[in-house]
Amino acid sequence: MPRIPDSESQPLSEREVSRAWDGNADSWAEQVRKGWDVYREFYNNPAFLEFIGESIGDLAGLSILDAGCGEGYNTRILARRGAKMTGADLAPRMIELARAEEHREPLGIRYEVNSFSDLSVFADVSFDAAVSFMALMDGPDFPGAMRAIYRVLRPGGMLVFSIIHPCFITKGLTWIRDEAGHETALTVAHYFDDTPWVERWKFSQVPTPESVEPFAVPRFDFTLSFYINTLVESGFVLRRIGEPRPSEAACVQHPFLRRWREHAPLFFYVSAQKPR
Ligand SMILES: C[S@@+](CC[C@H](N)C(=O)[O-])C[C@H]1O[C@@H](n2cnc3c(N)ncnc32)[C@H](O)[C@@H]1O
């Protein structure tokens, strides 16, 4: 997920976030479904699916909300593991693509266009668990998301989410390399700068990069303390955090992943529980 140094700073509303992701949706769905998101396939999904299992246990028969589900790639993975899945996303085109896939290969997934900071289409206490894959740093209202998810969970229900690691993936991220070009360190800078911005990037392993436009991804940089304190102040009990490393086998297969094994985690995982 390389950073293309072309970003704009601007206030960003949910309407603008929705428009940006609508614009990304077709190309995103096509590339993700082709397996071109190598970070997902070889690093994030193996680690986060294991973290979900450790946090929730057997998913079979549980009613689970996927908050910020996109076109549903990971929602379908959990449905195939036996969960009764519901996906919610802000971008109507993402939900259209998810529903088309559900129509093509039914897995019993319900999809709704709704902000994870609102979730008003769902009744109180309607889910056994909630998950969110790499979405909660993409919305402006994280406190609203915590309140909304808390409301729709049953007592004892788990919330398990992954985000970009807020401590290392800052606006000032650069890699320091030795003479051979190997990454030896990364820099952290502007950690406290919470100005929303639009990041433009492509999946790094696209076979023909010139054939795809970069995604435009509105980003909201929150500090680690903001995430954790907001979660706890919303009533959740923090159970576990995760800072995954790509496996040695994944690094052998995809050497560009090794920097995330040797120096710092790209992702941050949280597992929390609504009290019984
Ligand atoms: C990086 S994508 C991840 C999508 C999906 N979870 C996956 O793993 O493929 C982030 C998603 O968050 C959605 N999103 C951003 N803000 C949102 C909000 N306030 N409520 C619901 N979805 C939101 C975007 O529309 C986009 O589909």
Side-chain angles (χ1 to χ4, degrees):
M1 202 186 294
R3 303 192 141 210
I4 295 175
D6 164 24
S7 66
E8 313 122 33
S9 283
Q10 51 186 276
L12 287 164
S13 64
E14 280 201 347
R15 181 189 293 223
E16 287 161 304
V17 173
S18 165
R19 204 175 297 142
W21 277 105
D22 261 358
N24 296 332
D26 287 83
S27 170
W28 177 274
E30 186 186 344
Q31 293 183 57
V32 168
R33 291 174 188 181
K34 282 179 170 162
W36 288 358
D37 185 356
V38 171
Y39 279 89
R40 175 194 303 256
E41 302 293 343
F42 289 87
Y43 176 8
N44 203 5
N45 267 8
F48 191 56
L49 292 170
E50 189 178 336
F51 188 80
I52 289 177
E54 289 161 359
S55 303
I56 303 179
D58 185 5
L59 305 184
L62 295 185
S63 144
I64 301 182
L65 172 68
D66 183 2
C69 63
E71 53 70 53
Y73 188 84
N74 287 355
T75 327
R76 292 188 286 278
I77 291 177
L78 299 193
R80 288 192 190 100
R81 294 181 177 199
K84 288 185 280 175
M85 294 303 299
T86 300
D89 200 278
L90 190 61
R93 181 63 186 152
M94 283 288 195
I95 292 298
E96 240 174 69
L97 291 162
R99 285 181 179 150
E101 191 55 21
E102 173 65 19
H103 184 71
R104 201 185 64 77
E105 187 198 340
L107 293 167
I109 307 174
R110 170 188 176 191
Y111 290 105
E112 297 291 344
V113 178
N114 202 192
S115 169
F116 49 54
S117 301
D118 174 69
L119 299 180
S120 55
V121 302
F122 306 112
D124 292 359
V125 190
S126 44
F127 295 102
D128 295 314
V131 295
S132 181
F133 298 86
M134 302 305 291
L136 288 166
M137 70 281 169
D138 289 342
D141 185 7
F142 182 75
M146 291 303 96
R147 284 193 299 274
I149 293 171
Y150 188 91
R151 180 183 65 75
V152 300
L153 274 180
R154 67 160 169 80
M158 299 297 298
L159 162 63
V160 189
F161 67 84
S162 60
I163 50 175
I164 288 278
H165 201 304
C167 299
F168 302 112
I169 317 306
T170 59
K171 286 190 183 77
L173 168 64
T174 53
W175 284 97
I176 311 228
R177 294 184 169 86
D178 63 16
E179 282 171 8
H182 298 126
E183 286 92 0
T184 56
L186 63 70
T187 58
V188 167
H190 308 294
Y191 173 63
F192 297 104
D193 179 355
D194 61 1
T195 317
W197 60 300
V198 179
E199 186 177 29
R200 297 181 190 280
W201 52 268
K202 301 179 186 185
F203 291 134
S204 59
Q205 300 305 298
V206 176
T208 51
E210 59 293 344
S211 71
V212 298
E213 290 296 314
F215 303 118
V217 178
R219 287 279 312 280
F220 301 86
D221 294 334
F222 306 122
T223 58
L224 180 64
S225 52
F226 180 80
Y227 277 119
I228 298 299
N229 291 336
T230 302
L231 177 89
V232 170
E233 285 157 14
S234 307
F236 284 105
V237 177
L238 181 63
R239 292 295 181 208
R240 304 191 70 205
I241 57 174
E243 297 184 295
R245 299 171 77 188
S247 68
E248 180 56 32
C251 294
V252 169
Q253 199 173 347
H254 297 288
F256 63 89
L257 290 175
R258 187 166 294 284
R259 55 193 172 160
W260 303 108
R261 182 169 172 80
E262 289 187 350
H263 299 296
L266 173 53
F267 307 114
F268 183 67
Y269 301 164
V270 172
S271 153
Q273 189 168 27
K274 178 171 174 171
R276 287 177 197 283

